[in-house]
Amino acid sequence: QLQLVESGGGLVQPGGSLRLSCEASGSPLNNYAIGWFRQAPGKEREGVSCIASRGFFAKYADSVKGRFAISGDTTKNTVYLQMNSLKPDDTAVYYCAANWSPGQIVCEVDSLARYEHWGQGTQVTVSS
């Protein structure tokens, strides 16, 4: 059974950076698309970014394009989300999730239901 654990969240000033990690155990990640989602207080969970199981395709929400970058390290079975130029609106609990999709060259974050496995989340707070 695939398990996901997020880490790397914290308190950062506007304009700062954080790198979130999503470490998997129980199964290699190379057959899964990995998505990052976030949920701010009082708001619905939304997709932020994803990386396809083949690892060459990534997608970003318009709100984070040019600021966030997703990457994977198969040797560590971990996916990262590098977040730069952070804004107060980026404050949320960030979750990673996995969608079983072997051989897929694309990924989507339009639907939470695509993703079968979820981590517990890590809090990101952007405030001065």
Side-chain angles (χ1 to χ4, degrees):
Q1 179 74 6
L2 181 69
Q3 292 186 322
L4 304 172
V5 177
E6 303 94 336
S7 61
L11 173 64
V12 63
Q13 291 187 343
S17 298
L18 283 174
R19 188 178 77 159
L20 305 184
S21 299
C22 174
E23 184 174 2
S25 61
S27 180
L29 282 180
N30 57 0
N31 286 319
Y32 293 87
I34 301 300
W36 282 98
F37 298 81
R38 67 186 181 186
Q39 188 166 18
K43 294 187 177 181
E44 293 186 352
R45 195 170 299 188
E46 63 176 0
V48 174
S49 180
C50 65
I51 186 166
S53 60
R54 293 283 297 274
F56 302 115
F57 176 90
K59 194 167 187 177
Y60 300 92
D62 288 343
S63 58
V64 306
K65 277 182 184 175
R67 300 188 298 122
F68 290 12
I70 191 169
S71 63
D73 186 339
T74 56
T75 65
K76 297 182 179 180
N77 219 28
T78 299
V79 171
Y80 303 98
L81 184 69
Q82 178 66 44
M83 307 187 296
N84 300 323
S85 302
L86 283 161
K87 306 174 182 179
D89 284 350
D90 295 317
T91 295
V93 177
Y94 283 71
Y95 301 87
C96 68
N99 166 226
W100 173 258
S101 54
Q104 289 292 316
I105 60 173
V106 296
C107 62
E108 299 289 348
V109 285
D110 59 335
S111 172
L112 276 64
R114 293 176 180 269
Y115 291 81
E116 305 95 345
H117 307 278
W118 290 81
Q120 293 301 306
T122 184
Q123 175 71 48
V124 171
T125 303
V126 184
S127 175
S128 55

